[in-house]
Amino acid sequence: MKPINKKLQSTKNKLSEVPFRKLIPNIVTMLALCSGITSIRYSMQENWEKAVIFIFLAALFDGLDGRVARMLKASSKFGAELDSLSDFVSFGVAPAILMFQWCLFDLPKIGWFFCLLFAMGMAMRLARFNTMLEDDTIPPYWSHYFTGVPAPAAAAMVIMPILISFDCKEALPYMRTHLFCGVWMCLVSYLETSRIPTISLKKAKVHPSMIVPLLLIVALLANFLFTQTWLTLGVLTGLYALSIPYGIIRFLQDKRAYEKELKKAN
């Protein structure tokens, strides 16, 4: 009986072991979380450039962890929960503290309110996103859209005044005023918690004739990122904000087409 028990125990131990490939997505998520926390550190030290860099670095890791999990077939509920916690810190808390330290610190009561509004809005957005993953009643056309502005984009939008100020400090002095930053944070807080459809590129397809022009555009953007980093990031974030009305129009068109198909089918 003893040899059989040893074999059973050995089998149980093997079943309880986790393959390393399943840990890789969580490691990437932890790198995103560490980046967000490091951004907070540099915000407290008033090192604005490094604080911004680590928020974008967190966005890079956040974009990779899900793709790595799908590629390695290592998706898990634990990873999804860890990803949400990382997103809240990196794209909710870190940008809020950065904006407070950069502009709103001398309005300790009202300024802190704007930061709380943005961070709590991010928490509600992520909670809603997690519940929507289990909703099977969502129409198929929603797969091309996010509900509200996604977390990394909201973080980039809320710190856009800082990005532009790095290269245009004298030309746009109002961007560091209490009024502008407070109103801007309220607007982004609304967009992240709203049900406004925004474009998702996860399932976007590129026509063969557009591959070469797209590669040229990417190369041009890469050049601008190296030569005019902050201004380019600020302009790209601004263009994303301007794309929101276009996303609403596209969404309404897709919704009407879907409803027409349903009527024809019935």
Side-chain angles (χ1 to χ4, degrees):
M1 292 296 292
K2 287 184 179 180
I4 295 175
N5 289 335
K6 286 183 179 179
K7 287 182 180 180
L8 288 173
Q9 187 64 35
S10 176
T11 304
K12 287 181 180 180
N13 291 336
K14 288 181 179 179
L15 290 174
S16 63
E17 292 175 353
V18 179
F20 180 74
R21 66 177 177 82
K22 290 193 174 183
L23 297 178
I24 295 176
N26 294 335
I27 292 173
V28 177
T29 303
M30 290 301 292
L31 290 174
L33 179 58
C34 291
S35 299
I37 296 172
T38 305
S39 174
I40 295 173
R41 172 198 172 189
Y42 284 118
S43 295
M44 301 300 292
Q45 295 176 351
E46 298 186 3
N47 192 331
W48 314 126
E49 292 189 2
K50 286 187 177 180
V52 169
I53 287 172
F54 276 96
I55 288 177
F56 278 96
L57 192 60
L60 176 64
F61 287 129
D62 181 67
L64 289 175
D65 59 3
R67 288 167 175 78
V68 171
R70 288 189 290 272
M71 182 177 66
L72 298 178
K73 297 180 180 180
S75 300
S76 65
K77 189 172 180 60
F78 174 83
E81 295 299 328
L82 181 63
D83 183 65
S84 291
L85 292 172
S86 172
D87 287 355
F88 175 65
V89 173
S90 301
F91 309 129
V93 178
I97 293 178
L98 175 56
M99 289 297 290
F100 181 79
Q101 291 291 108
W102 185 69
C103 176
L104 301 171
F105 65 94
D106 53 351
L107 285 176
K109 294 182 180 179
I110 301 176
W112 188 241
F113 165 77
F114 296 129
C115 300
L116 287 176
L117 184 68
F118 176 78
M120 294 304 101
M122 183 63 69
M124 288 187 288
R125 177 197 159 66
L126 293 169
R128 183 181 64 194
F129 177 79
N130 289 342
T131 56
M132 288 179 67
L133 291 175
E134 301 174 359
D135 189 355
D136 298 329
T137 63
I138 299 176
Y141 57 84
W142 265 107
S143 62
H144 299 286
Y145 303 91
F146 292 110
T147 304
V149 175
M157 283 180 64
V158 84
I159 64 173
M160 186 174 66
I162 302 177
L163 295 174
I164 296 177
S165 73
F166 286 152
D167 287 332
C168 304
K169 187 179 296 183
E170 297 179 359
L172 300 171
Y174 66 88
M175 281 198 168
R176 201 169 182 174
T177 61
H178 300 145
L179 178 61
F180 179 84
C181 289
V183 172
W184 181 244
M185 291 191 78
C186 288
L187 177 61
V188 178
S189 299
Y190 166 74
L191 290 174
E192 69 182 353
T193 56
S194 70
R195 293 190 173 272
I196 295 174
T198 56
I199 294 176
S200 170
L201 299 178
K202 288 183 178 180
K203 295 186 178 181
K205 296 180 180 179
V206 180
H207 192 273
S209 62
M210 293 299 296
I211 292 177
V212 174
L214 183 61
L215 291 176
L216 291 175
I217 292 172
V218 170
L220 187 63
L221 283 176
N223 175 66
F224 281 125
L225 280 172
F226 283 112
T227 57
Q228 295 289 334
T229 304
W230 305 120
L231 186 60
T232 303
L233 289 174
V235 169
L236 288 175
T237 304
L239 290 175
Y240 174 82
L242 293 175
S243 75
I244 294 176
Y246 171 74
I248 296 173
I249 295 171
R250 282 287 306 272
F251 174 81
L252 293 175
Q253 291 174 345
D254 291 346
K255 183 179 179 181
R256 290 192 196 101
Y258 177 75
E259 289 173 350
K260 285 182 181 179
E261 290 181 2
L262 282 181
K263 287 181 180 179
K264 289 180 181 179
N266 295 330

